[in-house]
Amino acid sequence: MDAGFDQLKLGIANEDHWMSTLEYEGSVVDHFGDIVGKGFRECGINFTDLTRICFLNGPGSTMSIRTLCAFARTLKLLQQVEKNAIYVANHLHFHQLYQTHVACRHLPFCIVAKAGFHQYLCLHVNDKRQLNVIRKVDMQHLGNDDAIPLVKLPHPSLPREECVDYRLSRCLSLLYLIDPCIWQTTSNPDLYPG
């Protein structure tokens, strides 16, 4: 699951194939239940059939991501999923994997996401096999090296055409990279602390 800025991406997978992929643009908070219900009806499954929940926990729309967290916490509280079946990853590392493994973007590049009024989260990608450390930088330090292209994650203040997106249908393999650097199991899902 991914709830970026006014967009919800929901996929239900069975090992090596997608059973359902849904993308919805609009208020995630208002329509989350309907979209999830539609996905489960398409697959003919129940919440108890889930063996793992993977979702991106930010940076992004706080209310939308909290909706995903509340959904995962509720399923855990109702004992619909095992407590160690919930996995989270941040958007920057997920996009690093997507851009290098799926989109085959040339290295090096830098992924950036707005973190505040004049601050960005910044992730330099130099190696396809290594997840780098995410740093918080001020706007004046962003893009000092013009030789490295910037890959911008969505934000309401940025035009959509300036930002990267991904195809849910192409990223199934990334969900099975259960690596402590990218997907971290949690019993208390929450927003990315960046």
Side-chain angles (χ1 to χ4, degrees), residues 2-3 19 24 26-27 32 38 50 68 73-74 82 84 89 120 127 136 141 149 159 162 164 182-184:
D2 178 12
M19 298 170 66
Y24 175 79
S27 173
F32 180 77
K38 180 178 179 183
L50 296 175
L68 300 185
R73 286 181 185 177
T74 301
E82 297 292 325
N84 61 349
Y120 282 83
D127 186 340
K136 192 176 275 191
H141 299 114
E162 289 184 8
V164 297
I182 173 71
W183 295 110
Q184 297 181 12

Side-chain angles (χ1 to χ4, degrees), residues 3 8 39 48 54 59 81 84 90 95 97 101 103 109 118 122-123 132-133 137 144 161 165-166 185:
L8 173 68
T48 53
C54 295
V81 296
N84 61 349
N90 65 65
H95 274 278
L97 291 178
H101 289 73
F109 61 91
H118 287 295
C122 181
L123 176 65
N132 292 344
V133 175
V137 298
N144 284 347
E161 59 271 11
D165 199 1
Y166 66 94
T185 184

Side-chain angles (χ1 to χ4, degrees), residues 59-148:
S61 169
T62 300
M63 287 303 294
S64 297
I65 295 168
R66 289 210 170 157
T67 301
L68 300 185
C69 294
F71 173 70
R73 286 181 185 177
T74 301
L75 290 181
K76 185 191 76 152
L77 182 67
L78 297 175
Q79 298 179 341
Q80 300 292 306
V81 296
E82 297 292 325
K83 66 179 180 181
N84 61 349
I86 301 169
Y87 291 84
V88 297
N90 65 65
H91 277 89
L92 286 95
H93 280 153
F94 178 83
H95 274 278
Q96 175 178 348
L97 291 178
Y98 188 85
Q99 295 297 324
T100 55
H101 289 73
V102 180
C104 299
R105 185 179 292 273
H106 294 296
L107 299 173
F109 61 91
C110 183
I111 300 174
V112 296
K114 273 196 103 125
F117 191 62
H118 287 295
Q119 288 192 316
Y120 282 83
L121 294 174
C122 181
L123 176 65
H124 281 275
V125 182
N126 302 310
D127 186 340
K128 184 176 180 174
R129 296 168 302 278
Q130 177 182 341
L131 294 175
N132 292 344
V133 175
I134 297 169
R135 298 178 302 115
K136 192 176 275 191
V137 298
D138 292 328
M139 189 180 293
Q140 63 263 25
H141 299 114
L142 188 64
N144 284 347
D145 185 356
D146 292 333
I148 299 180

Side-chain angles (χ1 to χ4, degrees), residues 145-160:
D145 185 356
D146 292 333
I148 299 180
L150 294 181
V151 174
K152 298 177 186 174
L153 298 189
H155 190 273
S157 68
L158 298 175
R160 188 173 282 210

